[in-house]
């Protein structure tokens, strides 16, 4: 029998089956108005938390995490809203890096559903989840909020808040049927989070003309992470350094803002250094586990899920662990270039060092399809058509690494869909969704991309674009 929490979250995931994906801010504006949210214009009573709003093609999740880490380290009660999650829905809403509890979800979510029903608001998964996060932050009386957009910026449901500073980390071609088919058009959508009279920080090597024009129209000024045209000395595998520089600059600018004096007095250089050193889960996350024979095994988890991401991952591995033998546990989504993914990994290791897995998700690539795409060079890899899941091959990889005479590193990479099971297999203890929730999450593929542009229902092509994006585009190409 499912718990009340499980039933509510399952209902939330099913929302988009009944409410068509429309693009616009009307729903979230009506919903937050009914909830008397204090973080929107003319909002309700409550603590007016300081808000940092972050958009970008790559890096936005990492930058949000680093900023929130810094503030929390300094003793500033900080709400963090991010997406998608790795192991539990509750990861999306955090205060001082503690996830919202099942009891709190059970307390706040029914009221949000009721407000939608009473006012006939056809809110979608992402809008309701945004409202849940803000209700949670209000109840916890946070001093600061770090909000990551879902997709785009201008009409993302998070853009309803009155932020103190906007940050755009990077611009690249993504979801072109929704955001636009040029970097300039996408940049304009991302710049839509700029607010009048509030600083707007942009990352390195963005289309500054578009950003400057939009800032001028809005009535604000651009703050540059680095002077225009200066890309810095970052190597192609140095995304973490770039994200850290953007996050550090954002903190520096935020602390200058009038009204941030209380927070400014708390934040010291040491807090910033600690915060910037941290990474979100599964972004080149390094763990150590113990093999059957007591040997310590290094495990690296990374959501590199397409050929460019895998290439960057391998370059970073070689740079940080030159000459080390690698063993890959990998599972992909069916819409990726499986042949090129296989070739990329095979360029670094022999087939016998590869373990293929199939996540329990409708978009997971079948083992047969990966094997077919990889062709004869992949024929000597490890897989099990009877037990296709992540845990079996992860355990085998750890056992082989443990018994190897070489100091092997086990690299678990690919789709975000496999990471929860992989983390459990290597002994990470954390909140984790039950199968009752996870199966529903996988069945409703558009759940994490409910930005709303205008008030039109998505066309068939645009809907397909959302399906192609899905939760697997975990901060897109954020190979830090």
């Amino acid at each position: 029998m499912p718990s009340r929490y499980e039933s509510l979250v399952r209902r939330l995931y099913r929302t988009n089956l009944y409410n068509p994906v429309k693009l616009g801010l009307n729903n979230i504006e009506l919903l937050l108005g009914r909830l008397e949210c204090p973080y929107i214009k003319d909002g309700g009573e409550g603590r007016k938390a300081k808000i940092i709003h972050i958009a970008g093609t790559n890096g936005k999740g990492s930058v949000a995490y680093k900023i929130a880490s810094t503030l929390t380290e300094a003793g500033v009660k900080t709400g963090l809203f991010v997406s998608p999650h790795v192991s539990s829905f509750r990861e999306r809403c955090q205060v001082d890096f503690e996830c919202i509890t099942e009891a709190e979800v059970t307390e706040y979510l029914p009221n949000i559903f009721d407000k939608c029903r009473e006012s006939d608001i056809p809110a979608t998964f992402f809008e309701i989840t945004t409202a849940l996060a803000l209700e949670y932050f209000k109840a916890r009386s946070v001093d600061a909020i770090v909000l990551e957009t879902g997709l785009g910026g201008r009409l993302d449901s998070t853009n309803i808040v009155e932020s103190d500073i906007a940050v755009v980390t990077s611009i690249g071609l993504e979801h072109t049927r929704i955001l636009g088919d040029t970097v300039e058009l996408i940049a304009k959508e991302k710049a839509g989070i700029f607010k009048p009279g509030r600083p707007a920080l942009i990352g390195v090597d963005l289309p500054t003309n578009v950003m400057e024009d939009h800032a001028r129209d809005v009535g604000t000024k651009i703050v540059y992470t680095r002077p225009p045209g200066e890309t810095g000395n970052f190597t192609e595998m140095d995304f973490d350094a770039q994200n850290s520089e953007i996050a550090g600059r954002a903190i520096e600018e935020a602390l200058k803002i009038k009204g941030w004096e209380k927070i400014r007095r708390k934040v010291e250089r040491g807090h910033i250094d600690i915060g910037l050193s941290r990474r979100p889960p599964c972004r080149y996350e390094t763990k150590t586990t113990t093999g059957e024979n007591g040997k310590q095994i290094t495990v690296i988890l990374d959501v590199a899920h397409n050929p460019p991401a895998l290439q960057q991952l391998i370059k970073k591995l070689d740079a940080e662990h030159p000459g080390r033998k690698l063993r890959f546990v990998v599972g992909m989504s069916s819409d990726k270039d499986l042949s090129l993914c296989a070739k990329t990994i095979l360029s670094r290791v022999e087939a016998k060092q590869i373990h293929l897995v199939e996540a329990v998700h409708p978009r997971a690539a079948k083992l047969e399809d990966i094997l077919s795409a990889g062709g004869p060079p992949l024929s000597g890899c490890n897989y099990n058509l009877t037990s296709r899941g992540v845990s079996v091959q992860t355990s085998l990889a750890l056992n082989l690494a443990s018994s190897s005479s070489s100091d092997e590193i086990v690299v678990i990479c690919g789709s975000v869909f496999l990471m929860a099971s992989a983390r459990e297999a290597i002994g990470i203890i954390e909140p984790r969704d039950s199968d009752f929730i996870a199966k529903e999450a996988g069945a409703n593929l558009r759940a994490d991309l409910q930005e709303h542009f205008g008030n039109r229902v998505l066309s068939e092509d645009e809907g397909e674009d959302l399906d192609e994006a899905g939760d697997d585009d975990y901060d897109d190409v954020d190979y830090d």
Side-chain angles (χ1 to χ4, degrees):
M1 186 74 177
S3 68
R4 173 113 170 106
Y5 165 78
E6 289 174 316
S7 297
L8 284 167
V9 175
R10 183 180 171 95
R11 176 183 172 185
L12 174 58
Y13 273 114
R14 293 176 65 82
T15 302
N16 293 345
L17 297 176
Y18 310 106
N19 296 337
V21 180
K22 294 175 67 179
L23 304 176
L25 293 177
N26 286 3
N27 286 345
I28 191 67
E29 185 174 11
L30 288 169
L31 179 55
L32 294 184
R34 287 300 314 277
L35 292 168
E36 299 182 349
C37 175
Y39 310 126
I40 63 175
K41 188 175 182 180
D42 302 322
E45 295 297 320
R47 184 187 295 269
K48 306 295 185 182
K50 307 307 177 187
I51 300 176
I52 299 177
H53 196 193
I54 305 168
T57 300
N58 306 320
K60 62 184 183 293
S62 292
V63 170
Y65 194 91
K66 290 171 183 290
I67 293 171
S69 292
T70 297
L71 295 175
T72 296
E73 192 67 29
V76 179
K77 185 182 281 190
T78 303
L80 175 64
F81 179 58
V82 292
S83 60
H85 62 266
V86 175
S87 297
S88 170
F89 168 80
R90 298 192 289 118
E91 296 167 25
R92 296 167 182 258
C93 313
Q94 303 178 36
V95 171
D96 291 342
F97 290 96
E98 291 185 3
C99 297
I100 186 172
T101 65
E102 291 187 6
E104 287 167 320
V105 172
T106 302
E107 179 181 355
Y108 308 134
L109 200 49
N111 184 48
I112 296 172
F113 284 139
D114 288 344
K115 292 292 188 284
C116 289
R117 178 179 51 79
E118 292 165 4
S119 300
D120 194 24
I121 303 170
T124 60
F125 172 91
F126 194 73
E127 290 171 326
I128 293 172
T129 305
T130 301
L132 173 65
L134 296 179
E135 283 290 278
Y136 171 52
F137 299 154
K138 178 175 70 174
R140 293 290 299 271
S141 299
V142 299
D143 298 309
I145 296 173
V146 182
L147 287 178
E148 178 194 1
T149 61
L151 179 123
R154 181 173 63 94
L155 292 166
D156 185 87
S157 65
T158 60
N159 202 30
I160 198 68
V161 301
E162 291 286 294
S163 61
D164 294 272
I165 179 171
V167 181
V168 177
T169 59
S170 63
I171 302 294
L173 289 174
E174 56 161 353
H175 314 313
T176 54
R177 284 183 289 197
I178 297 170
L179 301 181
D181 58 4
T182 67
V183 168
E184 288 73 21
L185 287 172
I186 293 172
K188 191 172 182 180
E189 291 295 336
K190 306 286 188 189
I193 68 170
F194 295 173
K195 299 295 187 293
R198 300 293 186 175
L201 174 71
I202 65 173
V204 177
D205 199 25
L206 275 68
T208 56
N209 56 330
V210 176
M211 295 293 185
E212 288 281 7
D213 288 346
H214 190 77
R216 192 161 41 249
D217 291 343
V218 169
T220 189
K221 291 185 178 180
I222 294 290
V223 178
Y224 292 94
T225 301
R226 286 176 174 249
E230 182 181 328
T231 58
N233 299 317
F234 302 119
T235 68
E236 57 189 352
M237 57 213 166
D238 226 354
F239 283 91
D240 187 61
Q242 185 167 332
N243 291 333
S244 293
E245 183 166 352
I246 295 169
R249 191 82 166 89
I251 294 164
E252 177 185 325
E253 290 301 318
L255 295 178
K256 296 177 184 177
I257 299 171
K258 184 178 179 180
W260 279 67
E261 292 83 6
K262 183 179 177 182
I263 294 177
R264 185 187 311 141
R265 287 193 292 269
K266 292 185 174 184
V267 178
E268 300 175 357
R269 183 68 243 179
H271 302 137
I272 296 173
D273 291 341
I274 292 171
L276 299 186
S277 70
R278 291 175 176 158
R279 302 173 188 262
C282 299
R283 270 68 166 257
Y284 204 80
E285 182 180 14
T286 303
K287 295 289 185 180
T288 302
T289 190
T290 304
E292 286 187 339
N293 60 0
K295 181 179 179 181
Q296 295 294 292
I297 305 166
T298 299
V299 181
I300 294 175
L301 302 107
D302 194 280
V303 287
H305 60 274
N306 56 33
L310 291 167
Q311 290 165 12
Q312 300 287 12
L313 172 60
I314 289 170
K315 287 174 181 175
K316 187 170 182 65
L317 287 165
D318 287 340
E320 295 198 356
H321 304 282
R324 289 282 292 275
K325 195 171 184 179
L326 305 177
R327 182 174 293 275
F328 283 84
V329 178
V330 59
M332 306 303 298
S333 290
S334 57
D335 59 348
K336 306 306 176 188
D337 187 335
L338 301 179
S339 176
L340 190 51
C341 286
K343 288 178 181 176
T344 302
I345 297 173
L346 285 165
S347 70
R348 177 59 175 80
V349 298
E350 299 177 70
K352 65 180 182 180
Q353 296 295 115
I354 299 173
H355 299 253
L356 297 182
V357 300
E358 184 179 316
V360 182
H361 194 282
R363 286 183 58 220
K366 298 292 184 185
L367 292 181
E368 293 87 345
D369 293 337
I370 301 175
L371 290 165
S372 176
L378 197 56
S379 60
C381 71
N382 302 278
Y383 63 93
N384 188 323
L385 295 179
T386 302
S387 299
R388 299 167 178 252
V390 179
S391 59
V392 170
Q393 289 301 321
T394 300
S395 296
L396 177 59
L398 292 174
N399 289 340
L400 291 173
S402 180
S403 60
S404 172
S405 58
S406 303
D407 189 14
E408 289 190 358
I409 295 174
V410 175
V411 181
I412 304 174
C413 62
S415 169
V416 69
F417 306 139
L418 62 86
M419 289 298 168
S421 296
R423 293 169 71 82
E424 185 175 25
I426 65 172
I428 296 176
I429 299 172
E430 61 189 353
R432 187 168 286 107
D433 283 342
S434 66
D435 289 344
F436 183 80
I437 294 174
K439 288 177 182 177
E440 192 64 47
N444 295 290
L445 303 181
R446 299 184 189 183
D448 201 47
L449 288 154
Q450 305 318 318
E451 267 194 315
H452 290 210
F453 293 60
N455 290 307
R456 57 190 176 83
V457 177
L458 287 180
S459 70
E460 183 176 350
D461 283 348
E462 289 168 328
E464 288 175 358
D465 196 42
L466 287 178
D467 283 343
E468 289 165 7
D471 272 358
D472 199 28
D473 280 336
Y474 191 41
D475 216 9
D476 289 313
V477 194
D478 188 9
Y479 326 126
D480 46 42

